[in-house]
Amino acid sequence: MIDGNESCTAGQISMSYFTCLAYLLREWTGVEHIEDYLSYAVYLLWLFFPLMVVFLLPGVILLFIYVSVIFVHIYKRKNELKEAYSHDFWDGAKQMLATLWDGHARIWHGYELHGIENIPEGPGLVVFYHGATPVDYIYFMAKLLILQKRTCHVVADHFVFKLPGFKLLLDVLGVMHGPKEECVDALKKGHLVAISPGGVREALFSDETYVIMWGNRKGFAQVAIDAKVPIIPMFTQNVREGIRTLGGIRIFRSLYEHLRLPIVPMYGGFPVKLRTFIGDPIPYEPNVTAEELTVKAKAAIQSLIDKHQKIPGNVFRALMERFHTRQKED
């Protein structure tokens, strides 16, 4: 045994783990001085380990999503649970998923939700700024279900519906393709509906300056007018510090514009402080146009950003906010 390490034996020679591995590889490959190559590989692993971590951590969110997918499929198979939730077969599943995601939100991000009293008892259109991932919206949805026993339908990009195995989860959570008629119908039935006018483009190509990227989109405003419901602005502090993208690289922007697929690399997964703020509702006005309502909604989101987000965003500062006292309601 060498240096107190457990040894392996080759003939009469006793060696440490590293020396033993080098010996076996040298015998197998015939490469002399292979321990020098191994030492260099270990050094490179140590050097690039932090970089690997920041690109792998966002996968935790994807893992949680697939855990949710597996859970709803198992839940569906357990038909005997239907009797326990006679009001709605999926109530139990929704509560379990909400608990799962709320626990992740609290532990990893110290998540807080402010202004929930601004959400009307009846229908309303929640309009929010889109971070690199919609994890803040998932946290909001979980908290809303836990606190108010309400669900909020949400409009997602078409590519989401093409992901294998996601259909059942999307149906359970009320995720919609987003045609105007479908949104108006859901609102007229008394539901909350959420939409991010910036969508995937805002998610991938906005940055730590929190630029709102709505382009000429105003269909959401027409939905609110047709359904005669208020618009409820929402923004999550530090949402771009948790996970960032490489959207500033021109080739990724070009690929997205041609393929319409979110193939921009992401990194981060940092446990930054996340606070979601819900602003004052913009009430329905019968004479307002979609263009005018879009301007009002954008100004409301910008106001929340100006009030609650330090520009440019900073990962270290957002991490330190985890140790600050809980922010009081405004």
Side-chain angles (χ1 to χ4, degrees):
M1 186 173 292
I2 298 176
D3 296 332
N5 289 332
E6 186 178 343
S7 64
C8 66
T9 301
Q12 300 298 318
I13 304 174
S14 182
M15 294 169 282
S16 67
Y17 284 127
F18 184 81
T19 307
C20 179
L21 178 62
Y23 175 81
L24 294 175
L25 288 176
R26 185 168 59 249
E27 291 294 312
W28 181 44
T29 63
V31 177
E32 295 294 331
H33 307 295
I34 197 169
E35 58 272 13
D36 294 335
Y37 295 103
L38 287 176
S39 297
Y40 186 62
V42 171
Y43 169 74
L44 290 178
L45 179 64
W46 172 81
L47 182 65
F48 290 105
F49 181 74
L51 186 63
M52 290 188 293
V53 168
V54 299
F55 279 97
L56 290 175
L57 274 177
V60 174
I61 299 299
L62 186 61
L63 175 63
F64 263 72
I65 292 175
Y66 271 103
V67 168
S68 302
V69 169
I70 294 171
F71 173 77
V72 294
H73 279 279
I74 294 174
Y75 185 93
K76 184 180 180 181
R77 299 293 296 178
K78 298 294 184 179
N79 292 324
E80 64 272 15
L81 290 177
K82 186 174 183 179
E83 295 179 2
Y85 301 100
S86 57
H87 172 65
D88 183 348
F89 175 73
W90 290 110
D91 274 354
K94 291 176 183 177
Q95 289 291 339
M96 286 295 295
L97 289 176
T99 301
L100 171 70
W101 283 99
D102 187 59
H104 184 273
R106 287 173 175 270
I107 293 170
W108 197 246
H109 291 292
Y111 181 73
E112 298 174 16
L113 176 60
H114 297 268
I116 193 171
E117 67 279 359
N118 289 329
I119 299 178
E121 294 184 4
L125 184 64
V126 178
V127 175
F128 63 98
Y129 172 87
H130 205 310
T133 69
V135 65
D136 59 314
Y137 172 77
I138 298 175
Y139 294 160
F140 157 74
M141 184 173 59
K143 186 71 73 175
L144 182 69
L145 185 62
I146 291 171
L147 295 179
Q148 296 191 352
K149 310 300 181 187
R150 298 184 68 182
T151 57
C152 182
H153 296 253
V154 64
V155 176
D157 194 271
H158 297 300
F159 86 90
V160 175
F161 296 89
K162 299 177 182 178
L163 296 174
F166 269 50
K167 185 179 186 305
L168 181 60
L169 179 65
L170 298 177
D171 290 342
V172 171
L173 299 181
V175 181
M176 305 186 298
H177 283 275
K180 185 178 74 171
E181 296 76 16
E182 185 181 9
C183 295
V184 171
D185 183 61
L187 288 166
K188 287 185 175 180
K189 289 179 178 178
H191 298 296
L192 287 172
V193 174
I195 186 170
S196 174
V200 175
R201 183 176 283 103
E202 186 171 83
L204 299 180
F205 305 113
S206 186
D207 54 24
E208 64 272 17
T209 62
Y210 288 82
V211 176
I212 298 174
M213 303 178 67
W214 290 4
N216 295 320
R217 295 182 177 178
K218 51 182 181 291
F220 73 96
Q222 191 60 54
V223 166
I225 293 171
D226 292 346
K228 301 180 180 180
V229 298
I231 285 180
I232 307 152
M234 185 170 77
F235 168 74
T236 299
Q237 181 187 55
N238 296 326
V239 68
R240 298 211 75 88
E241 275 54 73
I243 295 178
R244 289 187 170 178
T245 73
L246 298 181
I249 300 177
R250 183 175 299 178
I251 188 173
F252 293 129
R253 182 64 179 266
S254 178
L255 285 172
Y256 172 77
E257 297 299 345
H258 283 85
L259 302 177
R260 285 294 190 271
L261 293 174
I263 53 178
V264 177
M266 298 182 181
Y267 67 96
F270 305 115
V272 300
K273 184 69 176 183
L274 293 184
R275 296 186 180 96
T276 293
F277 295 92
I278 301 172
D280 294 328
I282 303 171
Y284 164 72
E285 297 178 20
N287 298 322
V288 72
T289 65
E291 291 79 5
E292 293 170 340
L293 189 55
T294 299
V295 171
K296 288 184 178 182
K298 188 173 183 179
I301 298 293
Q302 188 63 57
S303 177
L304 290 175
I305 294 174
D306 294 341
K307 184 175 182 180
H308 300 293
Q309 183 64 54
K310 293 181 180 179
I311 303 295
N314 181 280
V315 173
F316 180 75
R317 182 177 62 232
L319 287 168
M320 291 301 99
E321 288 178 5
R322 290 293 304 272
F323 303 100
H324 294 177
T325 56
R326 181 182 178 89
Q327 180 163 328
K328 295 181 179 179
E329 293 282 357
D330 294 313

